[in-house]
Amino acid sequence: MGVYASQSRTDSSPKHAAESQSEFLGRIAGPFWDQVRDVINEWWSHLPDQARPGLRSRLLDRNFDANVYSALWELYLHEMLIRSGCTVEVELGIGTRGANPDFLVSQEGKQFVVEAKWTVQRLDETVPNRQLPPILIDAIDAVPSPNFFVSYRIHQAGSATPSQRRLKDELQRWLASLDPDQVIADYERKAPLPKHTWQEANWCLSFEAIPRSPSKRGNPTSRTIGIYPAMAWINDESDQVRKVVKKKGGKYGDLALPFIVAVGRAGFFPEDEDVATALYGTSVQYVHNSAPAFGRRPDGYWTGTYAHAHSRVSGVLTVNNPAPWTWTKNTPVLWQSPDPSSLRAPVLSAWKTAQLVNTQVRYQPPADPVHTALGLPEHWPDGAPFPRGHRNNAD
């Protein structure tokens, strides 16, 4: 038994808004996705017997995508550790607080502990972020529109979900009435793009028709929505990283072993500077003897003005946007504790390292590329995830 069954799959359409990540990975057809499923099945088989059922259940969770992504993050870490020559024991009861960290790792007679946490970039709750229900997004994307993309804006959000059929029928009639070549010609003469307002059940949306270029018209796999409304995301994620490491770092008490908190960071543009701020303190510039100088505030996880309880964490391992399609591309970074009382964290050959020297962060590149540590080809998965013009047989 594996995570995903070996079966014939015919639906190669992109992920639907109302579809869970688990449903998508089990449904999507194509050689690219067959490679992803095969590797997940193989890596899952490398887990200890007692750890497989729980992780499989999380990978197949249709209710919470976070469970799927966090399980994939743990699977990635476990595989990297064992392929680096480590022996890994899962969820052993160690420490002084009775909790079980994810991995007890042994390498060349030495041991260390790894605790995994997957995080996602947060919406800015101080700014209104109106969102369409996923089933309405899927309804708009399902409108046949060979000649146009659409963008939309939400002017008013109702409490009930309006009729999908009436929305689709109205959009299809409007788009079918437009000539893409004429719209392009008008736009080149500074005319605005065609707009349409739709209202029902206290919802008010406006749509704008964006002509497809002639070479991209008629593609049956292309989505109708070309531009989504902008969402307000929190740009500075340093506070989230600091809170995660603080929570995990204090969960197990005294481990008497080097302890690494591994944070998978999902976001649009995750920045290493946010991690440096979270762990080493906010970078500041000031003037000293009429010359600019740089320093750091004592507000980092390891540099704050408090007792040395945080010295229990030897290092923080981060990977930006960890997912099967980025596993061979995004390099792990081990951020090393500057506290002299921290036990030194081991460094695997595929890990880039970051170290605080005075007030500056110094980086050392990895000895080996990440794909070799995972036993995968450099450009894995091979091919295109959604080949243009490949029809699906699900409709």
Side-chain angles (χ1 to χ4, degrees):
M1 180 181 71
V3 178
Y4 304 107
S6 178
Q7 63 188 53
S8 175
R9 294 175 171 87
T10 58
D11 187 352
S12 61
S13 60
K15 184 178 179 298
H16 311 307
E19 185 177 35
S20 72
Q21 190 64 34
S22 170
E23 291 171 312
F24 169 72
L25 289 174
R27 182 264 302 170
I28 183 71
F32 181 97
W33 300 103
D34 289 339
Q35 295 170 71
V36 168
R37 284 186 289 265
D38 288 347
V39 165
I40 291 174
N41 280 343
E42 179 189 353
W43 288 7
W44 175 82
S45 73
H46 297 165
L47 290 167
D49 291 346
Q50 76 276 10
R52 292 177 196 168
L55 194 129
R56 182 179 186 273
S57 176
R58 289 162 58 203
L59 287 169
L60 297 178
D61 190 333
R62 295 188 172 197
N63 297 313
F64 299 101
D65 285 351
N67 277 340
V68 178
Y69 281 114
S70 64
L72 288 169
W73 174 230
E74 291 173 27
L75 197 65
Y76 162 95
L77 291 169
H78 182 268
E79 191 69 18
M80 178 174 288
L81 290 166
I82 64 173
R83 286 188 178 271
S84 298
C86 301
T87 300
V88 181
E89 298 175 86
V90 177
E91 293 189 343
L92 290 184
I94 58 177
T96 58
R97 295 188 178 172
N100 302 335
D102 290 317
F103 304 127
L104 175 62
V105 187
S106 302
Q107 183 187 43
E108 298 178 351
K110 298 180 180 179
Q111 290 186 314
F112 60 99
V113 174
V114 177
E115 173 72 2
K117 177 64 177 178
W118 180 82
T119 66
V120 64
Q121 189 173 6
R122 299 163 295 173
L123 285 170
D124 188 345
E125 295 180 355
T126 65
V127 178
N129 281 293
R130 292 173 174 167
Q131 299 182 63
L132 279 183
I135 58 173
L136 285 187
I137 296 175
D138 287 338
I140 297 169
D141 261 333
V143 172
S145 182
N147 297 323
F148 291 92
F149 294 109
V150 299
S151 65
Y152 69 89
R153 291 183 61 192
I154 304 172
H155 300 281
Q156 181 175 311
S159 57
T161 302
S163 167
Q164 299 171 57
R165 179 177 295 278
R166 288 195 291 271
L167 171 60
K168 291 169 64 176
D169 288 348
E170 187 172 326
L171 278 179
Q172 186 171 358
R173 285 194 298 270
W174 171 58
L175 291 170
S177 71
L178 303 174
D179 180 336
D181 295 321
Q182 184 62 50
V183 171
I184 291 174
D186 291 344
Y187 186 73
E188 290 175 347
R189 292 192 292 269
K190 308 301 182 182
L193 292 172
K195 289 183 172 60
H196 179 76
T197 299
W198 174 82
Q199 293 179 295
E200 184 174 318
N202 292 323
W203 285 87
C204 180
L205 277 66
S206 64
F207 294 90
E208 190 171 64
I210 307 166
R212 300 178 192 262
S213 62
S215 64
K216 294 185 177 180
R217 294 175 191 170
N219 181 1
T221 65
S222 180
R223 295 185 174 192
T224 299
I225 300 174
I227 300 176
Y228 290 83
M231 304 294 289
W233 299 90
I234 295 177
N235 291 323
D236 181 3
E237 288 293 290
S238 59
D239 185 55
Q240 183 187 45
V241 172
R242 184 166 41 248
K243 287 180 178 178
V244 164
V245 177
K246 183 178 180 180
K247 181 178 179 179
K248 291 293 186 179
K251 186 175 181 180
Y252 303 105
D254 187 7
L255 293 167
L257 291 170
F259 180 28
I260 296 173
V261 178
V263 183
R265 305 176 61 223
F268 284 105
F269 302 104
E271 297 286 346
D272 283 350
E273 184 56 38
D274 288 343
V275 183
T277 297
L279 302 178
Y280 300 142
T282 305
S283 178
V284 294
Q285 181 178 359
Y286 57 93
V287 176
H288 179 69
N289 293 332
S290 301
F294 296 90
R296 288 189 179 272
R297 293 179 182 148
D299 57 359
Y301 175 78
W302 282 309
T303 60
T305 53
Y306 32 63
H308 284 274
H310 292 177
S311 65
R312 290 173 178 165
V313 175
S314 308
V316 174
L317 184 74
T318 61
V319 177
N320 294 335
N321 289 318
W325 38 95
T326 66
W327 279 342
T328 63
K329 301 172 180 64
N330 296 348
T331 301
V333 182
L334 180 66
W335 303 80
Q336 298 172 309
S337 170
D339 192 318
S341 60
S342 294
L343 298 175
R344 184 168 179 79
V347 180
L348 300 189
S349 64
W351 294 354
K352 176 182 175 180
T353 60
Q355 186 176 20
L356 185 66
V357 179
N358 296 323
T359 61
Q360 301 300 309
V361 180
R362 291 187 182 175
Y363 297 96
Q364 291 292 330
D368 298 310
V370 65
H371 72 89
T372 62
L374 297 171
L376 295 172
E378 181 179 1
H379 301 294
W380 183 92
D382 182 53
F386 307 107
R388 186 182 183 278
H390 187 281
R391 291 179 179 269
N392 78 77
N393 299 319
D395 299 328

